[in-house]
Amino acid sequence: MAAPVIAVDPLYTDAGDAERLVDLAHRFGRYRIYGEDEHIDLDIGRGLFPRHDSVQHFLRTGGARGPGADVATLAARTSYFREEYAYDGAEHIGGVESFLHNPGLLRAAVDLYDRPIVEPAIAFANLMVPGQELAVHTDVPEFRGASRRNVPQWLLVVMHHSGLFDPWRLRIATGIAYFRDGEGGALRYWPHGPDGAPVVHPVRANTAVVLDTDSVFHAVDPVAPGTEAPATGAGATLAAGPGGRWALARPDGEVVGRYDWDDLRFSVSWKAYCFVDEAERDAWRHHTDDLTIDAITRRLVADLVERELVEPDVAHDRELGLLLIDTYVRYPAAA
Ligand SMILES: [Fe+2]
C-alpha cells in the first residue's frame, strides 16, 4: 500500500500571506549550512557522521547525477542552508505564527495519521543554490525519551527502520511548503518503499505537501542541474544583501557566489506531533514512558544476536554502528 501524501492547495487562501513568508525569509537574513552544529557521539558508532546512513548512500551512488564526481563536488552539491523559524513551538522570528498554525497543514496532519490531536512544533527553511540537491534520506524520527538531543541521528533512523521501538515512536507529520513555481528542485519520494518507483512532486507557489517523511524516502532533485555549486567548506553562509541579491560566503567573508532570489530554491518545512488522545500526548509531554539509551542498545544488540550477526558481548564501537545501519536501513537503489 502506498504511503499517504496529502496536497495542501492553496496553502494560504490569501496569496498575500505567502508573500509575507517570503519577506520573512529575507528578514531572517543569514542562513548557515545544515548539520554543522549537531553532533552526539556514543560508544556505538563513535566517529560516524550525524547522518552516516544518508552520507554513505550519497557517496556510493553519487546522488541524482550518478557516480563520477569527486568528494569535494559531492559535498558542495549537498551543503545546503537551513535555519529554524520556530522550534518546540517557540517562534524565533515574528510572522511565522500564521505558518506554524496554518489550518490547511493542521487538517492534512489530522488526516495523515487519523489522529485528532496535532501539536505543531517546528518550522524551518531550506535554501539551495543552483547546482545543489538534497540526498535521498528519511528524516530523523523521534521517540519518547530519544530525540536528536540525546541520541545520534543515524541511530534514531536505525531505531525507526528496525521497527523495534514503534510503541514509543512519535507520529510526526511533515509539511513542505513552496512559495513560487520552479523548474528543478522537485521533491522526489518513494511512497511504495525503497523497491518501488519514485514519484516526482513539482514545486508550485502557495502549495504544500504533507507526508510521513520519517518513513518515506525522499530527495530534492538538483536545482539547475547543469551547474555546480561553489565549494565553500564548513562554516559558509548564504545571506540576503542589498538590492535583493544573496551572497554565498566562506567563513573568512570571501564571497564565492551571488544570486537573485529567483535563482534559489526556497521551501519551508513544518513538523507537528500527532497523538491518538490526550493520554498519549501527556505521556510524551511529562516523560512518563521514556526509553533509555541503555534499553535501546540492549534491544538492538539482542536483535542482532537473534539474527546471528553478533555475539551478545559484541564491542559497542564504530563497527557496530555501521552494522546497525547496514542491517536495518535499506535505501532505494541508485537512480
Ligand atoms: Fe527530509
Side-chain angles (χ1 to χ4, degrees):
M1 212 175 73
V5 175
I6 300 172
V8 180
D9 183 5
L11 174 63
Y12 293 105
T13 44
D14 175 358
D17 287 333
E19 282 309 308
R20 277 183 277 282
L21 211 98
V22 172
D23 291 341
L24 182 154
H26 285 74
R27 197 153 39 85
F28 195 92
R30 183 170 170 276
Y31 296 75
R32 293 165 295 174
I33 292 178
Y34 171 58
E36 290 188 339
D37 54 344
E38 283 185 57
H39 200 171
I40 289 170
D41 232 2
L42 304 175
D43 285 340
I44 285 191
R46 186 166 294 287
L48 299 185
F49 296 118
R51 282 307 303 269
H52 204 89
D53 57 306
S54 171
V55 169
Q56 181 174 267
H57 180 260
F58 187 69
L59 293 176
R60 280 176 186 163
T61 62
R65 281 163 278 190
D70 59 30
V71 173
T73 303
L74 290 172
R77 287 179 183 172
T78 47
S79 297
Y80 66 98
F81 299 84
R82 173 179 294 185
E83 291 291 346
E84 285 153 5
Y85 293 161
Y87 203 85
D88 279 347
E91 291 156 28
H92 294 183
I93 181 167
V96 75
E97 202 272 342
S98 68
F99 179 77
L100 198 58
H101 299 278
N102 179 284
L105 292 173
L106 290 167
R107 258 195 314 273
V110 170
D111 292 346
L112 184 69
Y113 296 112
D114 196 19
R115 287 166 167 242
I117 299 181
V118 174
E119 299 264 346
I122 304 177
F124 59 86
N126 282 341
L127 274 173
M128 294 165 70
V129 305
Q132 289 189 326
E133 66 184 80
L134 182 47
V136 179
H137 66 287
T138 50
D139 286 356
V140 179
E142 192 172 333
F143 304 79
R144 282 194 300 277
S147 74
R148 55 208 304 160
R149 289 190 201 85
N150 63 334
V151 173
Q153 296 175 24
W154 65 264
L155 183 52
L156 293 162
V157 172
V158 163
M159 286 171 66
H160 176 30
H161 286 254
S162 77
L164 297 171
F165 305 94
D166 264 7
W168 290 271
R169 184 165 80 90
L170 298 172
R171 268 40 174 197
I172 299 173
T174 296
I176 307 163
Y178 306 105
F179 297 88
R180 72 178 170 82
D181 299 335
E183 283 170 53
L187 177 72
R188 183 176 294 265
Y189 64 94
W190 279 259
H192 303 281
D195 298 324
V199 172
V200 176
H201 180 86
V203 173
R204 281 186 35 242
N206 196 24
T207 67
V209 62
V210 174
L211 68 160
D212 174 8
T213 50
D214 296 353
S215 304
V216 177
F217 281 98
H218 57 284
V220 174
D221 281 352
V223 181
T227 53
E228 291 291 352
T232 56
T237 57
L238 181 63
R245 295 278 281 169
W246 287 70
L248 174 58
R250 295 203 169 109
D252 62 7
E254 187 196 345
V255 174
V256 291
R258 286 191 194 278
Y259 305 97
D260 290 325
W261 175 250
D262 285 348
D263 298 330
L264 304 176
R265 180 192 186 274
F266 171 62
S267 63
V268 185
S269 290
W270 175 90
K271 287 185 182 279
Y273 299 109
C274 305
F275 299 102
V276 185
D277 54 26
E278 279 158 18
E280 192 194 36
R281 182 189 60 195
D282 292 348
W284 159 72
R285 189 169 275 163
H286 303 303
H287 301 279
T288 53
D289 179 33
D290 276 7
L291 286 166
T292 62
I293 307 268
D294 199 43
I296 293 163
T297 52
R298 261 188 289 120
R299 183 72 188 89
L300 284 168
V301 169
D303 195 61
L304 291 178
V305 169
E306 218 166 279
R307 292 165 183 256
E308 300 183 351
L309 293 171
V310 298
E311 297 296 326
D313 62 349
V314 62
H316 287 202
D317 57 10
R318 177 185 163 91
E319 291 310 308
L320 184 58
L322 292 171
L323 178 64
L324 286 167
I325 291 171
D326 284 346
T327 303
Y328 298 109
V329 191
R330 200 159 52 82
Y331 270 78

